[in-house]
Amino acid sequence: MNANEDHPGLIGSLRALPSAVWVLALGTFINRFGTFVVPFLLLYLGEEGFSIVKAGFVLSSYGVGNLAAAWLGGFFTDRFGRRNTTVVSMFSSAVVMLAIPLAVSAMAEADWGDMARLACMMGLTALAGMTAEMYRPASNALLTDMVPEKNRVTAFAVYRLAINAGWAFGPAAAGLLAKFSFVYLFLGDAITSALYGVVAIFLLPHGRRSGTSEPVRWAPALRAIRNDRRFRLYICAALGIGFSYFQTHSTLAVHVRDAGLSTADYGLLHSLNGLIVILFELPVSPWTQRQSPRRAMSLGYGLVGVGFALTAWAHDLPFLALTVAIWSAGEIVSFPVGGAYVANLAPEDMRGRYMGFMGFVWSVSAIVAPTLGTFIYNLSPTALWLLCGAACAFSAGVMTIDPERRARSETS
């Protein structure tokens, strides 16, 4: 088999994708278009009287929910099937999103104290994080089920295209809606989650599942992960890049506000990220498929770090847009490769749990990033953005390590 057959090019790879991949992309676009709440949650909580530090704790609780989502989502994906997990995730997320503004209104009428309000919001936000993100291991595992290894970078690029198409248009719309009422954001989020649930019921395949004869447990998967040097290195890199990347959902909003810009401007910056990924990620994917995965991830993580570090000196919309463009370029190079890399490492009967563990690691970052990020930002915004750059540089360095070389030296 020659190189052209191994890597058939963008058009050939797209034509080779099964129709269910495009259905998954459609449903993901619908859901991500309506992911209005998380990017604006810090601003919403500020309007409701929460300090930036307390709001950071609430946003971190979304990451706690992500931890539960990764664990449960990985288990449910392997045990009950990819489609069933997605359906449960989407409809339960819609219910929680509708409940949050109702709870805030009820607490205001009952004149709850600050600590009671904080505890309630942390609990509801954790529940939102769990329900909204439980579908991710299922989506990643379903893509891996349907697509052969040589086309997986393209498949993950298509999947991310759908995510970023949603991000390109959703936050801009959300920024405009927030000018009238933040409640509209929760309503829109709930409606789009329910729509994706309907798409999943009627159009998505089940994907592989274990069946009922053998119980699905995490212990065998954790043993496999512990012995997988390549996956362990990826996890270390993901922690560094995740801490930096999740600042886009928390402290970046405060940085934009402190620069004298509006919520609409913040939404436009998120949309710029999505638009750049839409325009360039798929065209770049044939090149990234030809690179060593670790090399591509290292290069991409380095670019992400440069973009975040430069944010320290970005205090107007054009400069901020430049920083977004730089870290978006790094995202294009590294993120689709990362998804395919983990998919290829995972044993077939543990794909859901491998993907779930990957989500678990990103969830740890989602917990640490808002809490630690807002704390550092309060002390020194410049220190935060330079720390993000250093964390990405660490991730880039980790991905240059060759675990096979170490294994060969140990056996020689």
Side-chain angles (χ1 to χ4, degrees):
M1 183 175 286
N2 60 41
N4 289 334
E5 289 172 330
D6 284 336
H7 302 289
L10 178 59
I11 301 301
S13 295
L14 291 174
R15 287 176 176 171
L17 297 179
S19 59
V21 170
W22 300 101
V23 172
L24 181 66
L26 172 64
T28 301
F29 168 77
I30 292 170
N31 181 49
R32 284 295 142 184
F33 175 83
T35 306
F36 293 158
V37 171
V38 175
F40 291 86
L41 188 57
L42 211 63
L43 301 178
Y44 169 68
L45 293 170
E47 190 175 87
E48 293 296 325
F50 288 82
S51 69
I52 183 175
V53 174
K54 288 181 180 177
F57 276 108
V58 173
L59 197 55
S60 290
S61 67
Y62 190 90
V64 174
N66 287 179
L67 284 177
W71 202 261
L72 291 174
F75 173 84
F76 288 159
T77 293
D78 284 336
R79 183 67 178 85
F80 300 112
R82 289 48 162 149
R83 184 177 73 186
N84 293 341
T85 302
T86 301
V87 170
V88 170
S89 175
M90 290 299 101
F91 283 111
S92 58
S93 175
V95 172
V96 175
M97 284 299 172
L98 291 175
I100 289 175
L102 293 176
V104 169
S105 178
M107 286 187 291
E109 291 181 3
D111 196 22
W112 283 27
D114 287 346
M115 293 307 298
R117 292 173 68 224
L118 178 62
C120 182
M121 283 303 300
M122 288 180 68
L124 285 171
T125 305
L127 192 58
M130 184 186 75
T131 55
E133 302 297 326
M134 199 165 61
Y135 82 99
R136 283 186 179 270
S139 295
N140 290 330
L142 185 58
L143 274 180
T144 309
D145 292 345
M146 296 186 295
V147 180
E149 182 174 340
K150 66 179 181 180
N151 290 329
R152 281 177 186 161
V153 170
T154 301
F156 276 93
V158 168
Y159 176 58
R160 282 180 37 77
L161 175 67
I163 292 173
N164 286 284
W167 276 113
F169 302 108
L176 295 174
L177 289 174
K179 287 186 174 182
F180 299 98
S181 173
F182 278 101
V183 174
Y184 292 143
L185 305 186
F186 292 93
L187 180 61
D189 206 318
I191 290 172
T192 52
S193 294
L195 282 175
Y196 185 20
V198 172
V199 169
I201 288 173
F202 291 104
L203 298 176
L204 281 184
H206 273 293
R208 292 190 177 96
R209 53 181 170 177
S210 68
T212 58
S213 57
E214 292 293 332
V216 172
R217 298 189 178 94
W218 266 99
L222 293 176
R223 283 195 296 270
I225 289 168
R226 184 184 61 198
N227 295 324
D228 192 333
R229 285 192 179 95
R230 292 174 295 174
F231 191 53
R232 292 204 312 267
L233 286 171
Y234 172 82
I235 289 167
C236 291
L239 287 169
I241 202 74
F243 169 79
S244 305
Y245 200 79
F246 280 110
Q247 301 306 324
T248 64
H249 296 165
S250 53
T251 48
L252 183 60
V254 182
H255 185 87
V256 171
R257 183 197 65 189
D258 290 349
L261 303 173
S262 68
T263 56
D265 293 324
Y266 173 59
L268 286 173
L269 289 171
H270 267 286
S271 295
L272 174 63
N273 165 243
L275 183 61
I276 290 171
V277 174
I278 289 169
L279 291 176
F280 297 107
E281 188 163 278
L282 269 177
V284 168
S285 65
W287 178 82
T288 56
Q289 284 189 122
R290 292 193 296 269
Q291 309 307 309
S292 159
R294 292 193 305 275
R295 184 182 301 117
M297 284 186 279
S298 180
L299 172 61
Y301 293 163
L303 285 172
V304 172
V306 171
F308 280 115
L310 287 175
T311 306
W313 297 279
H315 300 291
D316 56 55
L317 192 58
F319 198 168
L320 281 166
L322 175 62
T323 66
V324 170
I326 294 171
W327 58 256
S328 296
E331 178 184 348
I332 286 169
V333 172
S334 59
F335 282 27
V337 176
Y341 184 69
V342 175
N344 295 336
L345 291 177
E348 183 176 312
D349 61 340
M350 297 181 184
R351 282 176 183 162
R353 280 159 290 170
Y354 257 68
M355 297 299 182
F357 196 88
M358 180 175 70
F360 181 86
V361 171
W362 278 90
S363 299
V364 170
S365 299
I367 294 170
V368 173
T371 304
L372 183 58
T374 52
F375 176 78
I376 297 173
Y377 187 90
N378 263 347
L379 298 176
S380 170
T382 299
L384 172 66
W385 300 118
L386 293 180
L387 177 62
C388 289
C392 293
F394 164 80
S395 297
V398 166
M399 294 316 300
T400 64
I401 298 172
D402 183 356
E404 286 82 6
R405 179 182 300 172
R406 178 181 172 186
R408 288 193 297 268
S409 66
E410 288 176 353
T411 57
S412 61

